[in-house]
Amino acid sequence: MAACSVEELLAKAEQEEAEKLKTISVQKELDLDFDVGNLLACDKNRIESKDFKEQNKEDFLRSLARDNTQLLINEIWKVPTERVEEAIVAKLPEPTTRLPREKPPPKPKPPTKWEQFAKLKGIQKKKKTNLVWDETRVAKNEFNRLKNVARSQKIKTPGVGLLPRAKQSKDELSKAVSVAKTSTASVGRFQDRLPKEKPPKNAGKRRKFEPLIGDFSSEKHKQLELLKVMDSKRPKLDITKAVNKQMREEDREEAASRKKGGKGGAARRPKGKGAKGKGGKAGGGKRRGKPGKR
Amino acid sequence: MRPLTEEETKAMFEKLSKYIGENIKLLVDRPDGTYCFRLHHDRVYYMSEKILKLATNFSRDKLISVGTCFGKFTKTKKFRLHITALDFLAPYAKFKVWVKPGAEQSFLYGNHVLKSGLGRITENTMQYQGVVVYSMADVPLGFGVAAKTTQECRRVDPLTIVVFHQADVGEFIRNEDTLT
């Protein structure tokens, strides 16, 4: 009994194995064309029309699709795989099928204004090389290098101001002129200037200033002296004020003399005195310390 | 930072004396300490020697301001007085102008003072005399230049300008960035 059942079991297991393999392996007359990159499988096998008509159409198509899909999956398994977050992922190769254009091809752009113009004039695009052999530049580089060397090593160099060059700039020429002018016995004091030539701007040496924290008392003293000089220079008598005052005085006297005929003398005199007194005091105050007209 | 040269000191004193007259010597020679003027990036600063000694510890590019800024020298070496000098001009001012409360705001916005806004004015003010402007409560508001003499001020009509605006305390808000 047990033996029978064991044999039965074994037979059943074998059958199942065979079935499993059968499902995985598929027999085809012609091998399929695979484009694993696009997950594409092309089946060129002929379909017998009688197969199609005999069986149930749906079943036939389903089984055909299943077989081809199985073959495609087999192909995918052949490709190297890797594990990404607990899922096995196959690295697909590049697709081999050439796909047609998705969108229509671009229309030719209308030429820009410049392009039209260039075509009209026959201008061609010329590429300028930016590396040009310049002898003067090379010479200047060399000179600067030697100067740097001399400076770093603290070697004394003769004073050289101007480099002879093929094309001198305006500054260099003016500098050359000023150097030539001052290279006389009297350091250029009696050299004539051209009619429209302007005198040089920075003629003197660098300015020297007092130290930041010098002698405070001497600084104060100098400033007070300066203030005294300024005060003395200011006119003590304000001309316009004096003139105006004088004019007012004259007007007042005239008005007073005109009224003399109408009014009595006694009423006028204190008024006159008071007015004169005020004028006098104000005049003195004015003359004393008020700032002059500026 | 460096001390001012003779010419620079002269230009500055000329300008200051327009507002405070001979009281400049009270700024130069103070009883409560040694104060000095120093020039930094074309601006003139007034500070005590203590502050000066502390300021020497800063490099030129990092030092923004020392003491009080009185004004600056323009590119053509003219001296321009700033509002920050008001604290030193106000107590020593020779000629003062008081402004009515209504016209205060107008002056603080940078407008000139009209006759209608004029409260009081010192007697014997000359034309184009430097004046310090006060509110009626004796609060210094700024300074300017008298456009008319005191006598003329009495006679002109209310809409003529009597004081040209030069600086007012509203500039602390308007020109914050340029005052240092």
Side-chain angles (χ1 to χ4, degrees):
Chain A
M1 252 312 185
C4 272
S5 61
V6 166
E7 271 176 17
E8 277 177 30
L9 276 169
L10 279 172
K12 220 189 243 179
E14 266 189 59
Q15 237 185 350
E16 280 172 20
E17 279 276 345
E19 275 186 33
K20 265 193 199 162
L21 284 168
K22 194 170 63 175
T23 53
I24 292 176
S25 62
V26 176
Q27 293 296 336
K28 289 271 184 181
E29 278 181 16
L30 281 170
D31 278 335
L32 275 62
D33 288 331
F34 293 103
D35 181 6
V36 190
N38 275 325
L39 294 180
L40 175 69
C42 293
D43 185 1
K44 289 198 179 94
N45 288 304
R46 281 190 63 197
I47 297 174
E48 300 293 323
S49 44
K50 57 178 179 12
D51 286 333
F52 203 61
K53 280 176 196 160
E54 254 178 52
Q55 284 179 320
N56 195 355
K57 292 193 181 88
E58 285 293 316
D59 285 338
F60 174 71
L61 288 172
R62 191 178 292 126
S63 66
L64 184 62
R66 193 218 76 85
D67 289 339
N68 287 339
T69 316
Q70 184 63 61
L71 285 169
L72 180 60
I73 301 288
N74 293 344
E75 278 300 306
I76 292 174
W77 273 111
K78 286 179 192 166
V79 154
T81 59
E82 65 178 8
R83 217 180 175 75
V84 174
E85 285 178 17
E86 299 176 10
I88 301 172
V89 171
K91 278 181 149 175
L92 296 178
E94 288 288 321
T96 53
T97 332
R98 213 165 151 213
L99 296 168
R101 272 183 106 61
E102 187 189 334
K103 294 199 185 8
K107 286 178 270 229
K109 280 187 279 207
T112 62
K113 293 272 292 193
W114 168 252
E115 279 172 12
Q116 284 173 358
F117 179 76
K119 203 161 146 199
L120 187 71
K121 288 269 182 170
I123 299 172
Q124 258 104 33
K125 209 174 180 176
K126 248 187 244 175
K127 232 190 151 99
K128 259 194 191 170
T129 50
N130 44 11
L131 297 173
V132 166
W133 180 258
D134 184 0
E135 285 226 356
T136 48
R137 254 199 236 187
V138 167
K140 192 177 166 208
N141 280 337
E142 186 59 31
F143 180 72
N144 282 331
R145 186 183 74 83
L146 293 171
K147 251 205 311 198
N148 289 336
V149 165
R151 198 197 311 146
S152 66
Q153 299 192 355
K154 303 209 198 292
I155 303 169
K156 289 225 171 194
T157 49
V160 182
L162 311 148
L163 287 168
R165 277 233 233 145
K167 292 234 171 184
Q168 307 242 357
S169 68
K170 189 173 165 189
D171 303 313
E172 286 172 23
L173 284 171
S174 56
K175 192 172 176 199
V177 164
S178 61
V179 166
K181 245 207 205 127
T182 49
S183 325
T184 60
S186 37
V187 206
R189 272 179 61 194
F190 305 110
Q191 295 296 111
D192 298 320
R193 253 184 280 133
L194 287 174
K196 282 201 181 169
E197 200 181 343
K198 284 182 240 175
K201 269 196 290 184
N202 333 338
K205 278 190 258 178
R206 276 184 73 169
R207 291 164 70 180
K208 211 174 174 208
F209 299 115
E210 296 291 312
L212 180 56
I213 305 183
D215 189 6
F216 285 115
S217 57
S218 76
E219 195 184 319
K220 209 183 286 190
H221 186 74
K222 257 191 252 169
Q223 286 178 341
L224 289 170
E225 282 286 322
L226 179 64
L227 283 171
K228 219 186 283 182
V229 166
M230 271 167 60
D231 255 341
S232 71
K233 284 223 175 113
R234 236 174 271 148
K236 288 214 173 71
L237 178 63
D238 187 4
I239 308 287
T240 41
K241 266 195 174 152
V243 165
N244 286 342
K245 198 176 83 66
Q246 185 66 24
M247 281 174 20
R248 253 182 289 144
E249 287 267 326
E250 284 172 5
D251 288 338
R252 225 173 282 148
E253 278 176 25
E254 250 182 75
S257 62
R258 243 183 280 134
K259 283 187 189 152
K260 221 180 194 176
K263 297 212 171 142
R268 242 180 303 110
R269 233 177 275 132
K271 245 198 204 162
K273 264 202 193 141
K276 277 230 177 80
K278 238 196 244 168
K281 261 193 227 146
K286 274 190 195 147
R287 249 181 261 135
R288 216 179 294 134
K290 293 289 184 220
K293 186 181 173 199
R294 257 168 241 115
Chain B
M1 213 172 17
R2 60 167 175 87
L4 291 116
T5 60
E6 285 278 337
E7 295 90 31
E8 287 165 352
T9 330
K10 188 147 187 269
M12 192 183 65
F13 283 172
E14 288 275 335
K15 205 53 192 279
L16 281 175
S17 61
K18 285 192 190 173
Y19 295 90
I20 59 182
E22 65 266 356
N23 291 330
I24 306 182
K25 48 170 129 32
L26 294 168
L27 280 179
V28 171
D29 195 5
R30 271 166 79 138
D32 60 337
T34 338
Y35 280 71
C36 57
F37 292 98
R38 288 290 180 268
L39 194 79
H40 178 61
H41 285 153
D42 288 331
R43 283 175 199 262
V44 176
Y45 296 98
Y46 181 66
M47 66 202 86
S48 66
E49 65 162 293
K50 282 196 296 290
I51 304 284
L52 173 64
K53 289 201 172 131
L54 291 172
T56 55
N57 297 316
F58 293 94
S59 64
R60 268 186 213 149
D61 50 338
K62 299 283 193 303
L63 185 68
I64 298 178
S65 178
V66 199
T68 350
C69 174
F70 259 45
K72 72 178 203 186
F73 279 98
T74 62
K75 287 269 153 73
T76 52
K77 304 294 169 203
K78 294 196 174 51
F79 185 66
R80 198 198 148 87
L81 207 57
H82 281 178
I83 187 62
T84 39
L86 186 64
D87 290 331
F88 295 97
L89 294 183
Y92 304 121
K94 292 226 121 190
F95 294 96
K96 307 185 188 180
V97 166
W98 285 262
V99 156
K100 286 189 193 145
E104 233 176 78
Q105 189 170 39
S106 167
F107 181 71
L108 288 176
Y109 272 82
N111 300 315
H112 303 302
V113 179
L114 306 178
K115 164 83 191 297
S116 53
L118 185 68
R120 275 159 46 199
I121 182 164
T122 338
E123 194 60 54
N124 298 322
T125 317
M126 286 302 300
Q127 197 177 23
Y128 310 129
Q129 171 71 44
V131 293
V132 177
V133 175
Y134 292 82
S135 75
M136 287 318 278
D138 272 332
V139 173
L141 296 176
F143 48 88
V145 173
K148 308 270 177 213
T149 63
T150 322
Q151 293 279 43
E152 278 180 44
C153 278
R154 294 201 185 106
R155 294 180 309 164
V156 292
D157 58 295
L159 287 178
T160 41
I161 297 174
V162 291
V163 176
F164 292 123
H165 167 284
Q166 286 200 328
D168 64 272
V169 290
E171 277 177 29
F172 282 109
I173 300 172
R174 292 202 304 275
N175 305 341
E176 224 178 293
D177 334 330
T178 56
L179 277 182
T180 75

